[in-house]
């Protein structure tokens, strides 16, 4: 993680410099100062590189003079068209080009403080690395960028705008850390322990172990966990931000007026909370319905939905979001053994509905079924959103560009689509309906855990989940194609993406905070 600071615009005397330039705009501020110091050298270099500031365009000047080692130019496109996501992408592009520099500065005179803060967010997200287990990395391979000075004409406003984004970045980084961990380290118990660290942010964290789950009747989740020596956990995280104290008032009269108000009482339970639920299969062999060996190592990140929920709760608490939110994650390991669940077994879920398990590799929906039913019974939520790397079928349908969105509520689905457009974390709404639901009807139990054949696999999985939702507004995000990247992305290196944290934080911020 790089340390991001803010300073007044001035041409750096040494190090590296990133300039985010709008298309067709005249050089101004730091860029103009550099051009003057180079006696028109920046203008000539831009002309030689045919750099016009078009969105995504880049150019690099090596040892241009004026004491600088490197200058990186990044195009913003038309100044009036710059969105938060475009600013983040530009900041990320700059950071990627500067990772081998010990320190650097970033200037974007065309950006208002809020957009400049988003450029800083992009730089931080793109500089993420998971090098915990690398002991023989060559010195020239190591990223060196530790400090980035963001040059802002209004440093106070930019710093204020960046504060909640820094908390959001920390949540994304936590999710990426969790998803990147190998399964021999991140067992269900270990993941629950890491969720407990959110207590330092003011999150109430409750962990239920196998004995607790047996008493409660989490039969579907426990069936998945039967084959592993690593016992399951369910973690409940509560952020009661709607009862957070007001920010200190400015001015004597305002402070006196605030002091005269009766103190707000802390509530022990959330009021009409937003509920987020994550699938946390810390390793998925498929169980008795064993997966092929090739690529099975990727199944360490079958807990990405739970990782996103934990990261989201950290982000909401870190920025003191004025909302009541509950995060629940079901943590299991799906292994084959003499005690493992068999194809054809029938389990009784927390809701009382029975399920014939025809394929033990369709296990995530069993975990979510119990947690969904428990969450609505205990918390009476305003809505529930679950996230899961649930099906390979969604990758066939949507590739790695969008998560599958399934919902019983048009308003919630529309809000998610809007948040996706703003953050760049894409979603695409998929169909649901009675014809699909009939495919999971069963001869000997209330339902079976897979449909007939391969057709519509992600849809029948969503229909299965909906049977545990009742009338609560609900959305299911199948993030199987989005949780892990095999190449560098717009705001992140290859590997764990942290997908969903920024999407859901934006949903909360735009529609549900007081």
């Amino acid at each position: 993680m790089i340390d991001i600071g803010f300073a007044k615009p001035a041409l750096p005397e040494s190090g590296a410099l990133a300039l985010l330039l709008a298309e067709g705009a005249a050089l101004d501020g730091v860029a103009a100062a550099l051009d003057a110091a180079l006696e028109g050298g920046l203008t000539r270099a831009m002309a030689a590189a045919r750099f016009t500031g078009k969105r995504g365009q880049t150019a690099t000047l090596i040892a241009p003079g004026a004491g600088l080692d490197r200058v990186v130019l990044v195009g913003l496109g038309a100044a009036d068209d710059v969105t938060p996501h475009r600013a983040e992408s530009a900041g990320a592009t700059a950071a990627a080009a500067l990772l081998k520099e010990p320190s650097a500065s970033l200037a974007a005179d065309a950006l208002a403080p809020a957009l400049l803060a988003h450029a800083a967010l992009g730089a931080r997200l793109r500089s993420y690395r998971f090098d915990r287990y690398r002991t023989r990395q060559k010195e020239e391979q190591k990223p060196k960028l530790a400090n980035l000075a963001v040059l802002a004409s209004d440093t106070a406003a930019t710093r204020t705008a960046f504060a909640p984004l820094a908390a959001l970045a920390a949540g994304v980084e936590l999710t990426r850390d969790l998803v990147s961990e190998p399964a021999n380290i991140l067992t269900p118990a270990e993941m629950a322990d890491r969720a407990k660290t959110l207590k330092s942010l003011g999150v109430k964290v409750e962990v239920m172990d196998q004995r607790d789950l047996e008493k409660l009747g989490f039969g579907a989740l426990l069936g998945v966990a039967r084959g592993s020596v690593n016992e399951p956990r369910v973690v409940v995280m509560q952020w009661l931000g709607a009862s957070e104290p007001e920010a200190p008032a400015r001015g004597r009269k305002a402070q006196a007026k605030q002091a005269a108000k009766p103190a707000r009482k802390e509530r022990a339970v959330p009021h009409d909370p937003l509920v987020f639920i994550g699938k946390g299969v810390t390793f998925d062999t498929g169980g008795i319905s064993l997966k092929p060996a090739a690529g099975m190592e990727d199944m360490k990140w079958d807990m990405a939905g739970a990782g996103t929920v934990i990261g989201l709760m950290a982000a909401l608490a870190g920025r003191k979001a004025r909302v009541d939110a509950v995060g629940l994650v079901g943590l299991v390991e799906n292994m084959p053994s003499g005690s493992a669940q068999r194809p054809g077994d029938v389990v009784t879920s927390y809701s009382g509905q029975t399920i014939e398990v025809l394929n033990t590799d369709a296990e995530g929906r069993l975990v979510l079924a119990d947690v969904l039913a428990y969450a609505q019974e205990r918390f009476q939520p305003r809505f529930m959103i679950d996230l899961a790397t649930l099906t390979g079928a969604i990758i066939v349908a949507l590739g790695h560009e969008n998560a599958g969105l399934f919902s019983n509520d048009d308003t919630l689905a529309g809000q998610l689509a809007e948040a996706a457009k703003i953050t760049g974390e894409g979603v695409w709404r998929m169909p649901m309906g009675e014809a699909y639901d009939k495919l999971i009807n069963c001869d000997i139990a209330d339902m079976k855990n897979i449909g007939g054949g391969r057709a519509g696999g992600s849809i029948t999985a969503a229909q299965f989940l909906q049977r545990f939702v009742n009338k609560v507004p609900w959305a299911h995000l199948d993030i199987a194609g989005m949780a892990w990247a095999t190449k560098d992305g717009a705001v992140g290196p290859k590997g764990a993406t942290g997908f969903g944290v920024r999407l859901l934080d934006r949903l909360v911020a735009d529609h549900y905070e007081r």
Side-chain angles (χ1 to χ4, degrees), residues 94-170:
L98 297 173
L99 287 176
K100 297 298 176 65
E101 304 292 336
S103 63
S105 301
L106 182 147
D109 294 299
L111 297 183
L115 288 174
L116 186 54
H118 277 279
L121 170 64
R124 175 164 165 178
L125 292 175
R126 183 60 180 82
S127 66
Y128 173 84
R129 288 292 182 275
F130 188 81
D131 290 333
R132 188 168 300 169
Y133 302 107
R134 303 189 69 169
T135 64
R136 295 292 185 270
Q137 193 174 17
K138 296 179 180 179
E139 194 63 32
E140 62 269 20
Q141 294 176 324
K142 296 179 181 178
K144 295 181 174 61
L145 185 61
N147 301 286
L148 180 68
V150 177
L151 307 180
S153 55
D154 191 340
T155 54
T158 308
R159 186 181 292 109
T160 298
F162 183 69
L165 300 181
L168 177 59

Side-chain angles (χ1 to χ4, degrees), residues 480-501:
M482 307 303 291
W484 192 269
T486 57
K487 59 183 180 181
D488 294 341
V491 293
K494 66 179 182 179
T497 64
F499 180 92
V501 177

Side-chain angles (χ1 to χ4, degrees), residues 219-220 223-224 226 289 341-349 352-363 365-366 369 439-452 460 464 467-468:
V224 177
R226 276 177 47 184
S289 305
Q341 185 165 250
R342 297 161 290 258
D345 285 0
V346 174
V347 296
T348 301
S349 68
Q353 298 177 89
T354 57
I355 306 160
E356 184 182 19
V357 181
L358 295 184
N359 188 326
T360 64
D361 193 24
E363 84 300 329
R365 65 200 70 181
L366 300 174
L439 296 176
I440 57 172
N441 287 340
C442 180
D443 293 335
I444 69 166
D446 294 327
M447 70 195 82
K448 53 191 178 183
N449 75 326
I450 57 172
T460 53
F464 179 93
R467 292 196 179 194
F468 300 87

